[in-house]
Amino acid sequence: MVENTRKTYGIDENIALNVPILINVIESKNKFPKEIQIKNKFIKVLSVIDLWHVYGEWWKENSVNRMYYRINSDDRVIILFKNIDSNLWYLQNDY
Amino acid sequence: MAVVAKEDNNLIVIDKSQEAKPVKIGMSYQNALSVCKELEVIQADFKFYSLISEKIACDLNNKSPKVEAFDLGVTYVDISGLEMMYPTQDILIESLLKDIPKEFNPRIGIASNKFFSYVAAMHSKPNNFLKISNNFSSFLHAIHLNMLPVSSWNKAKLHDLDINNLIDVLNWSIDLLQLQFGIKDGKKLWELCRGIDNDYFYPLELKNQLKTSVCFDEPLVNKQSIVLAMSYMLDELLRDNKFRNRSARGLSISAQTSNSLYWNKKIKFKEPLFRKSKMLGIVESVLEVANIPGPLSDMSIELMNLTDDFSIQKSLFSFSRKEEDLLESIKQLEIRLGCKVPIYEIKEIEPWSRIPERRMALMRILP
């Protein structure tokens, strides 16, 4: 995953789409997401619609080891994942 | 009255009325005037005659699908199979006669082949018909040398042998006829004596075209007025019922100047056209470089090679034109602003990737 270099976007650079955003998530006892904080607001997770594991580029130091959850909140469907190596939660909407 | 035509830079009488008895066909114009001082002379207009002949053939084509315009004044019509549409032969003949102006005193001959139908026509009364079926032998004496479809050299030979009609060679064997008149003409004479004529019927090929012509009160001297006249003529042609749901592949312009010079131009379109604006645009560009020999006194235009195409094949990729226009607009914007414009488009990088942020990216529309 590409880290944020804090560099301002130039006119010549390509802009990545669908970049994961670091969020706060309250987990349940089963380590499933229970509440998600988006824009300083906590949203309750009503149900987990789908989950899958992505494990790629294992030969690299920063391998991609994510557990994805598609959840149903009060008014929308959200896709988020947990980086298993760092235990951090990220928001990623799939286009 | 006499009709004259130009032949070897001389005006020769080619036809005359019954009242002009002293005048003979083939006489020169000056001789004809000298023998008949009150003679009215008309100059032959073969172009006009062939137009009329073609029109009559086209009208007859509406009755029968097989019509052969053999010569000026001679048209063959295949009436086999028409008996199912017309209850009697009289009704069929009446229907055919309606298509021919009565002033021409049309004569119709019916036979099983072309030659004898011609003979029957020559012997029928004006505005009437005559039929030759199995009784062809009774007409052999009436078939004169001039009517025989043989070469002029053989006609002269027949005249020298004092043979004036076909019945005189009825008893000649085919070998003798071929020896005397050649293989082809000898066989032809032998067959005709027995009522056989194997000449092919060449049906008329209807020219798929529309034509209109206009005579101007005052000759047109500039190209704008020519284009305006063409615009009106095209309006007339495109409104014609025959052009409905059709396109034309070409246009022919023919005109005559005030000093009797002819000017012709044929324009072929790259694709079949049915819109007046496009045709007129092409005509204007052609007229800009055309060299017209003088002021035009009359003009005719003809839409040629009419097709049944009435739609335009558009590109499968309809958005490609919009993209070209967009890129052009962005280039102009960059030139105007003097710097690069932050306009991006979504492009797929690794659409198969399981990692979503690697699938697509925003890239500058102009690299």
Side-chain angles (χ1 to χ4, degrees):
Chain A
M1 191 164 53
V2 177
E3 285 182 6
N4 187 0
T5 59
R6 294 191 184 188
K7 190 179 168 188
T8 51
Y9 286 117
I11 211 82
D12 291 327
E13 289 183 12
N14 298 327
I15 302 168
L17 276 176
N18 209 8
V19 176
I21 303 165
L22 186 65
I23 53 169
N24 286 329
V25 172
I26 299 171
E27 291 180 15
S28 65
K29 288 176 187 174
N30 306 334
K31 306 287 179 187
F32 274 45
K34 192 173 154 188
E35 281 185 40
I36 312 168
Q37 186 186 17
I38 296 176
K39 292 181 185 175
N40 298 324
K41 191 181 169 184
F42 274 94
I43 300 165
K44 261 194 177 172
V45 174
L46 297 175
S47 61
V48 175
I49 301 168
D50 197 6
L51 74 159
W52 62 95
H53 182 223
V54 172
Y55 183 46
E57 295 177 359
W58 48 267
W59 59 92
K60 291 185 179 176
E61 273 188 30
N62 298 326
S63 62
V64 175
N65 192 2
R66 303 174 183 179
M67 193 68 196
Y68 276 87
Y69 299 87
R70 181 178 282 133
I71 60 149
N72 182 18
S73 69
D74 50 0
D75 57 353
R76 53 191 170 167
V77 172
I78 298 169
I79 297 171
L80 62 154
F81 67 89
K82 182 179 179 181
N83 190 333
I84 294 171
D85 295 333
S86 63
N87 276 329
L88 292 171
W89 285 90
Y90 294 87
L91 176 68
Q92 184 159 64
N93 282 327
D94 201 5
Y95 286 101
Chain B
M1 192 182 288
V3 179
V4 297
K6 219 170 186 179
E7 202 172 302
D8 296 330
N9 292 327
N10 290 325
L11 283 173
I12 304 291
V13 172
I14 58 167
D15 202 0
K16 65 178 181 84
S17 61
Q18 280 183 348
E19 292 83 10
K21 281 178 188 170
V23 177
K24 299 219 185 310
I25 290 177
M27 204 181 247
S28 70
Y29 168 65
Q30 289 85 359
N31 286 348
L33 275 178
S34 62
V35 299
C36 187
K37 283 177 187 164
E38 291 165 357
L39 188 70
E40 271 183 49
V41 177
I42 303 171
Q43 189 163 8
D45 186 352
F46 288 103
K47 195 176 165 189
F48 180 65
Y49 302 156
S50 53
L51 269 173
I52 298 292
S53 180
E54 220 176 270
K55 188 185 174 304
I56 292 172
C58 285
D59 290 340
L60 288 170
N61 198 243
N62 291 331
K63 302 275 166 33
S64 166
K66 280 188 181 177
V67 172
E68 182 184 335
F70 183 72
D71 198 1
L72 274 181
V74 180
T75 305
Y76 292 105
V77 180
D78 188 349
I79 60 170
S80 49
L82 293 184
E83 54 272 3
M84 294 167 87
M85 291 169 62
Y86 298 92
T88 62
Q89 204 161 69
D90 289 338
I91 295 174
L92 168 63
I93 300 302
E94 201 181 304
S95 168
L96 290 174
L97 283 171
K98 271 185 192 168
D99 288 331
I100 309 165
K102 278 194 179 153
E103 294 79 21
F104 293 138
N105 292 324
R107 289 180 283 179
I108 295 182
I110 302 175
S112 58
N113 52 56
K114 279 167 65 172
F115 178 74
F116 282 95
S117 61
Y118 175 73
V119 168
M122 294 302 281
H123 288 87
S124 80
K125 291 178 186 169
N127 293 304
N128 212 329
F129 76 99
L130 180 67
K131 186 171 178 178
I132 297 179
S133 47
N134 298 323
N135 56 338
F136 67 89
S137 49
S138 55
F139 285 90
L140 290 179
H141 68 282
I143 300 173
H144 296 287
L145 278 184
N146 295 332
M147 294 162 72
L148 291 173
V150 294
S151 63
S152 49
W153 188 72
N154 278 329
K155 280 183 189 172
K157 215 174 184 182
L158 281 164
H159 181 75
D160 292 338
L161 290 169
D162 202 23
I163 296 168
N164 295 313
N165 42 46
L166 204 58
I167 202 159
D168 295 338
V169 292
L170 178 63
N171 296 322
W172 288 36
S173 67
I174 187 169
D175 301 327
L176 192 58
L177 283 167
Q178 284 182 319
L179 190 70
Q180 196 64 244
F181 303 107
I183 293 172
K184 192 179 162 192
D185 283 352
K187 187 183 175 195
K188 190 76 194 170
L189 287 169
W190 185 86
E191 282 176 348
L192 289 176
C193 287
R194 280 133 191 93
I196 303 168
D197 176 27
N198 293 325
D199 258 356
Y200 292 116
F201 193 93
Y202 297 100
L204 182 75
E205 274 183 34
L206 274 179
K207 289 180 194 173
N208 226 349
Q209 60 205 24
L210 276 174
K211 193 173 182 174
T212 186
S213 50
V214 145
C215 284
F216 307 117
D217 295 331
E218 286 184 15
L220 302 181
V221 293
N222 56 39
K223 289 186 181 172
Q224 285 87 358
S225 43
I226 295 173
V227 169
L228 186 64
M230 290 210 59
S231 170
Y232 285 120
M233 290 160 83
L234 272 175
D235 269 335
E236 193 188 317
L237 283 179
L238 298 182
R239 269 190 266 121
D240 195 313
N241 275 336
K242 287 180 200 167
F243 195 73
R244 190 183 289 182
N245 296 335
R246 304 188 87 175
S247 308
R249 285 190 173 273
L251 186 76
S252 170
I253 311 169
S254 45
Q256 191 176 5
T257 63
S258 49
N259 44 0
S260 301
L261 291 170
Y262 286 97
W263 176 71
N264 292 314
K265 187 78 188 170
K266 278 191 182 166
I267 304 168
K268 280 187 187 171
F269 304 136
K270 283 181 191 170
E271 53 180 3
L273 295 179
F274 54 88
R275 286 206 183 104
K276 176 191 154 187
S277 53
K278 283 198 173 176
M279 287 186 197
L280 207 55
I282 294 170
V283 165
E284 273 182 75
S285 56
V286 165
L287 285 177
E288 262 177 39
V289 294
N291 193 11
I292 301 172
L296 301 181
S297 58
D298 63 72
M299 187 162 66
S300 65
I301 61 167
E302 196 178 320
L303 291 173
M304 301 188 304
N305 298 328
L306 300 183
T307 67
D308 292 324
D309 306 319
F310 193 63
S311 53
I312 303 167
Q313 177 68 54
K314 283 195 168 181
S315 170
L316 179 63
F317 308 104
S318 56
F319 52 80
S320 62
R321 176 113 183 141
K322 287 181 190 171
E323 197 177 331
E324 284 169 16
D325 291 342
L326 176 65
L327 291 175
E328 189 57 40
S329 304
I330 293 170
K331 276 181 197 167
Q332 287 179 10
L333 186 62
E334 283 187 354
I335 291 166
R336 204 184 300 170
L337 295 174
C339 61
K340 287 188 181 176
V341 176
I343 297 177
Y344 295 82
E345 59 175 347
I346 296 172
K347 278 209 170 159
E348 287 181 339
I349 311 295
E350 287 178 26
W352 57 85
S353 174
R354 294 171 68 200
I355 303 160
E357 64 266 22
R358 292 191 188 172
R359 288 176 193 156
M360 286 182 279
L362 284 176
M363 294 173 84
R364 277 197 69 244
I365 198 164
L366 279 181

PDB file of all heavy atoms in Angstrom, chain A residues 68-79:
ATOM      1  N   TYR A  68     -11.363  -8.394   4.479  1.00  0.00           N
ATOM      2  CA  TYR A  68     -12.382  -7.453   4.013  1.00  0.00           C
ATOM      3  C   TYR A  68     -13.745  -7.793   4.582  1.00  0.00           C
ATOM      4  O   TYR A  68     -14.092  -8.975   4.725  1.00  0.00           O
ATOM      5  CB  TYR A  68     -12.465  -7.483   2.482  1.00  0.00           C
ATOM      6  CG  TYR A  68     -11.452  -6.603   1.779  1.00  0.00           C
ATOM      7  CD1 TYR A  68     -10.186  -7.088   1.482  1.00  0.00           C
ATOM      8  CD2 TYR A  68     -11.776  -5.300   1.421  1.00  0.00           C
ATOM      9  CE1 TYR A  68      -9.258  -6.264   0.847  1.00  0.00           C
ATOM     10  CE2 TYR A  68     -10.862  -4.486   0.782  1.00  0.00           C
ATOM     11  CZ  TYR A  68      -9.615  -4.973   0.498  1.00  0.00           C
ATOM     12  OH  TYR A  68      -8.707  -4.170  -0.128  1.00  0.00           O
ATOM     13  N   TYR A  69     -14.479  -6.719   4.886  1.00  0.00           N
ATOM     14  CA  TYR A  69     -15.850  -6.888   5.369  1.00  0.00           C
ATOM     15  C   TYR A  69     -16.759  -5.972   4.559  1.00  0.00           C
ATOM     16  O   TYR A  69     -16.468  -4.782   4.414  1.00  0.00           O
ATOM     17  CB  TYR A  69     -15.974  -6.499   6.846  1.00  0.00           C
ATOM     18  CG  TYR A  69     -15.125  -7.320   7.774  1.00  0.00           C
ATOM     19  CD1 TYR A  69     -13.802  -6.965   8.034  1.00  0.00           C
ATOM     20  CD2 TYR A  69     -15.672  -8.440   8.409  1.00  0.00           C
ATOM     21  CE1 TYR A  69     -13.037  -7.729   8.901  1.00  0.00           C
ATOM     22  CE2 TYR A  69     -14.905  -9.193   9.275  1.00  0.00           C
ATOM     23  CZ  TYR A  69     -13.581  -8.833   9.499  1.00  0.00           C
ATOM     24  OH  TYR A  69     -12.824  -9.586  10.365  1.00  0.00           O
ATOM     25  N   ARG A  70     -17.841  -6.561   4.075  1.00  0.00           N
ATOM     26  CA  ARG A  70     -18.881  -5.709   3.471  1.00  0.00           C
ATOM     27  C   ARG A  70     -19.995  -5.662   4.482  1.00  0.00           C
ATOM     28  O   ARG A  70     -20.606  -6.700   4.793  1.00  0.00           O
ATOM     29  CB  ARG A  70     -19.371  -6.294   2.151  1.00  0.00           C
ATOM     30  CG  ARG A  70     -20.429  -5.411   1.482  1.00  0.00           C
ATOM     31  CD  ARG A  70     -20.912  -5.925   0.135  1.00  0.00           C
ATOM     32  NE  ARG A  70     -19.915  -5.619  -0.875  1.00  0.00           N
ATOM     33  CZ  ARG A  70     -19.479  -6.510  -1.764  1.00  0.00           C
ATOM     34  NH1 ARG A  70     -19.928  -7.726  -1.783  1.00  0.00           N
ATOM     35  NH2 ARG A  70     -18.578  -6.159  -2.637  1.00  0.00           N
ATOM     36  N   ILE A  71     -20.257  -4.466   4.989  1.00  0.00           N
ATOM     37  CA  ILE A  71     -21.214  -4.359   6.079  1.00  0.00           C
ATOM     38  C   ILE A  71     -22.402  -3.516   5.663  1.00  0.00           C
ATOM     39  O   ILE A  71     -22.327  -2.715   4.732  1.00  0.00           O
ATOM     40  CB  ILE A  71     -20.561  -3.721   7.336  1.00  0.00           C
ATOM     41  CG1 ILE A  71     -20.059  -2.313   6.979  1.00  0.00           C
ATOM     42  CG2 ILE A  71     -19.438  -4.595   7.887  1.00  0.00           C
ATOM     43  CD1 ILE A  71     -20.112  -1.396   8.124  1.00  0.00           C
ATOM     44  N   ASN A  72     -23.465  -3.727   6.398  1.00  0.00           N
ATOM     45  CA  ASN A  72     -24.704  -2.993   6.175  1.00  0.00           C
ATOM     46  C   ASN A  72     -24.903  -2.069   7.371  1.00  0.00           C
ATOM     47  O   ASN A  72     -25.015  -2.521   8.500  1.00  0.00           O
ATOM     48  CB  ASN A  72     -25.848  -4.009   6.078  1.00  0.00           C
ATOM     49  CG  ASN A  72     -27.160  -3.332   5.801  1.00  0.00           C
ATOM     50  OD1 ASN A  72     -27.216  -2.195   5.364  1.00  0.00           O
ATOM     51  ND2 ASN A  72     -28.237  -4.038   6.077  1.00  0.00           N
ATOM     52  N   SER A  73     -24.889  -0.768   7.071  1.00  0.00           N
ATOM     53  CA  SER A  73     -25.121   0.193   8.163  1.00  0.00           C
ATOM     54  C   SER A  73     -26.548   0.717   8.038  1.00  0.00           C
ATOM     55  O   SER A  73     -27.349   0.123   7.328  1.00  0.00           O
ATOM     56  CB  SER A  73     -24.092   1.318   8.094  1.00  0.00           C
ATOM     57  OG  SER A  73     -24.368   2.087   6.951  1.00  0.00           O
ATOM     58  N   ASP A  74     -26.835   1.829   8.668  1.00  0.00           N
ATOM     59  CA  ASP A  74     -28.234   2.274   8.716  1.00  0.00           C
ATOM     60  C   ASP A  74     -28.785   2.650   7.336  1.00  0.00           C
ATOM     61  O   ASP A  74     -29.923   2.397   7.025  1.00  0.00           O
ATOM     62  CB  ASP A  74     -28.385   3.447   9.706  1.00  0.00           C
ATOM     63  CG  ASP A  74     -27.348   4.544   9.439  1.00  0.00           C
ATOM     64  OD1 ASP A  74     -26.558   4.345   8.499  1.00  0.00           O
ATOM     65  OD2 ASP A  74     -27.324   5.554  10.149  1.00  0.00           O
ATOM     66  N   ASP A  75     -27.952   3.267   6.502  1.00  0.00           N
ATOM     67  CA  ASP A  75     -28.510   3.693   5.215  1.00  0.00           C
ATOM     68  C   ASP A  75     -27.625   3.341   4.003  1.00  0.00           C
ATOM     69  O   ASP A  75     -27.920   3.747   2.907  1.00  0.00           O
ATOM     70  CB  ASP A  75     -28.740   5.220   5.233  1.00  0.00           C
ATOM     71  CG  ASP A  75     -27.463   5.979   5.551  1.00  0.00           C
ATOM     72  OD1 ASP A  75     -26.462   5.321   5.875  1.00  0.00           O
ATOM     73  OD2 ASP A  75     -27.480   7.219   5.470  1.00  0.00           O
ATOM     74  N   ARG A  76     -26.549   2.604   4.240  1.00  0.00           N
ATOM     75  CA  ARG A  76     -25.692   2.277   3.095  1.00  0.00           C
ATOM     76  C   ARG A  76     -24.880   1.007   3.365  1.00  0.00           C
ATOM     77  O   ARG A  76     -24.845   0.493   4.471  1.00  0.00           O
ATOM     78  CB  ARG A  76     -24.737   3.425   2.813  1.00  0.00           C
ATOM     79  CG  ARG A  76     -23.946   3.864   4.000  1.00  0.00           C
ATOM     80  CD  ARG A  76     -23.230   5.149   3.741  1.00  0.00           C
ATOM     81  NE  ARG A  76     -22.675   5.639   5.002  1.00  0.00           N
ATOM     82  CZ  ARG A  76     -21.790   6.599   5.116  1.00  0.00           C
ATOM     83  NH1 ARG A  76     -21.353   7.207   4.036  1.00  0.00           N
ATOM     84  NH2 ARG A  76     -21.344   6.963   6.297  1.00  0.00           N
ATOM     85  N   VAL A  77     -24.224   0.603   2.263  1.00  0.00           N
ATOM     86  CA  VAL A  77     -23.343  -0.574   2.350  1.00  0.00           C
ATOM     87  C   VAL A  77     -21.908  -0.054   2.317  1.00  0.00           C
ATOM     88  O   VAL A  77     -21.545   0.737   1.445  1.00  0.00           O
ATOM     89  CB  VAL A  77     -23.606  -1.530   1.178  1.00  0.00           C
ATOM     90  CG1 VAL A  77     -22.578  -2.642   1.133  1.00  0.00           C
ATOM     91  CG2 VAL A  77     -25.008  -2.115   1.261  1.00  0.00           C
ATOM     92  N   ILE A  78     -21.102  -0.497   3.253  1.00  0.00           N
ATOM     93  CA  ILE A  78     -19.723  -0.001   3.355  1.00  0.00           C
ATOM     94  C   ILE A  78     -18.763  -1.186   3.251  1.00  0.00           C
ATOM     95  O   ILE A  78     -19.048  -2.272   3.786  1.00  0.00           O
ATOM     96  CB  ILE A  78     -19.515   0.727   4.701  1.00  0.00           C
ATOM     97  CG1 ILE A  78     -20.443   1.949   4.772  1.00  0.00           C
ATOM     98  CG2 ILE A  78     -18.067   1.167   4.894  1.00  0.00           C
ATOM     99  CD1 ILE A  78     -20.515   2.579   6.138  1.00  0.00           C
ATOM    100  N   ILE A  79     -17.643  -0.924   2.603  1.00  0.00           N
ATOM    101  CA  ILE A  79     -16.593  -1.957   2.516  1.00  0.00           C
ATOM    102  C   ILE A  79     -15.402  -1.449   3.312  1.00  0.00           C
ATOM    103  O   ILE A  79     -14.918  -0.335   3.085  1.00  0.00           O
ATOM    104  CB  ILE A  79     -16.211  -2.239   1.076  1.00  0.00           C
ATOM    105  CG1 ILE A  79     -17.413  -2.815   0.298  1.00  0.00           C
ATOM    106  CG2 ILE A  79     -15.028  -3.208   1.004  1.00  0.00           C
ATOM    107  CD1 ILE A  79     -17.206  -2.935  -1.175  1.00  0.00           C
TER     108      ILE A  79
END
